[in-house]
Amino acid sequence: MYPKVVGRLDAPAPAVAVIDGDTLEINGGIVRLAYIDAPELGQSCEAGGHLTACGSDAAFVLRKLIGIADAKPDCAPVAGTDAFVCRVGSADPAEVLLASGLATAMADAPAYYRAVERRARDVPLGIWKGPFVAPEEWRTGKRLPGEIDAVRAASAPTDWPRRVAGLAFLPEPISHRDPCVIKGVVSSAADRWYFGPLDPGYATIDVKAGKGRTFCSIDEARSAGWHHGHLALGGRAPFHN
């Protein structure tokens, strides 16, 4: 069962796109995985004194799971919420992310999910290897000190490796330097589309040419009335460098 999208719900093979670590788009409808919260695409975590692109890592794990599965996601809504419990073949993607240490279990998560999170935390794996900001707090603007230093370092007039506040940073390109990685563009029809780093052609999208802006999370983009453009535009972005 998928979110109802007029004219597309009955497609024989659902078109699926991974938006971020806990969000899919199926036949144009947004499917948020229930009971977990994954780091945002532009979010960084710390492990061993270094920043890691934990938000991108979570999204790539979800995309890999979708890509290698023999079956499309089978999702059912959770009553009273806008979230879905999904299975991809025999796998539960929310459980996979929790087991990889790339998501946190929400307060209302089933006990089994909390146990899976606890095992990843005890190892530790993924985000549990060091300090990180809870995704919910990150979306409100809270950042690790290293994330703030990384953004400042990115604007320094040099391309050489440097150390800031004890953390090592490398020259461009490093996606997690800029936390606001969601690109929003306005099409010629005045439609507002957003694209994430996992969308084909993302690197070539020119926000300025599209009279658009950037967002720090898809929640921010959607709340502002923008829509994911990858599937709607057939995988093509309306503005490129």
Side-chain angles (χ1 to χ4, degrees):
M1 183 178 294
Y2 306 112
K4 186 174 183 180
V5 180
V6 176
R8 303 187 67 174
L9 186 64
D10 296 328
V16 181
V18 174
I19 299 181
D20 64 15
D22 55 19
T23 312
L24 301 171
E25 182 178 356
I26 304 177
N27 286 351
I30 299 299
V31 174
R32 185 178 300 282
L33 299 180
Y35 305 125
I36 68 168
D37 201 2
E40 296 297 328
L41 284 169
Q43 186 172 349
S44 299
C45 301
E46 187 180 327
H50 298 269
L51 290 182
T52 65
C54 54
S56 295
D57 290 344
F60 282 122
V61 165
L62 183 57
R63 186 169 73 171
K64 182 178 180 180
L65 178 63
I66 299 294
I68 64 176
D70 293 331
K72 297 294 184 180
D74 181 13
C75 302
V78 176
T81 76
D82 62 352
F84 292 73
V85 173
C86 298
R87 296 200 70 82
V88 181
S90 61
D92 176 347
E95 179 187 345
V96 170
L97 287 160
L98 289 169
S100 302
L102 291 172
T104 61
M106 300 179 73
D108 61 345
Y112 177 68
Y113 276 13
R114 295 197 298 272
V116 173
E117 179 200 74
R118 185 166 56 251
R119 288 195 292 270
R121 187 170 65 240
D122 290 345
V123 172
L125 297 173
I127 59 178
W128 305 109
K129 291 181 179 179
F132 69 95
V133 175
E136 180 180 6
E137 295 180 340
W138 196 92
R139 288 189 290 272
T140 67
K142 186 176 180 179
R143 300 287 186 268
L144 286 173
E147 289 184 278
I148 298 172
D149 290 336
V151 172
R152 291 173 179 167
S155 62
T158 178
D159 285 330
W160 293 98
R162 60 185 70 80
R163 299 187 72 83
V164 179
L167 298 176
F169 299 101
L170 302 175
E172 293 293 345
I174 258 186
S175 62
H176 65 250
R177 277 184 171 169
D178 183 0
C180 299
V181 298
I182 306 300
K183 296 181 179 181
V185 295
V186 180
S187 74
S188 57
D191 290 317
R192 287 171 165 77
W193 307 108
Y194 69 81
F195 299 85
L198 274 69
D199 292 329
Y202 168 85
T204 68
I205 296 173
D206 190 335
V207 173
K208 292 182 178 179
K211 298 180 181 179
R213 53 167 295 187
T214 58
F215 300 94
C216 294
S217 71
I218 64 165
D219 285 343
E220 182 183 359
R222 292 173 60 200
S223 295
W226 298 59
H227 304 280
H228 189 217
H230 171 53
L231 293 183
L233 299 177
R236 294 175 290 102
F239 294 96
H240 301 273
N241 292 325

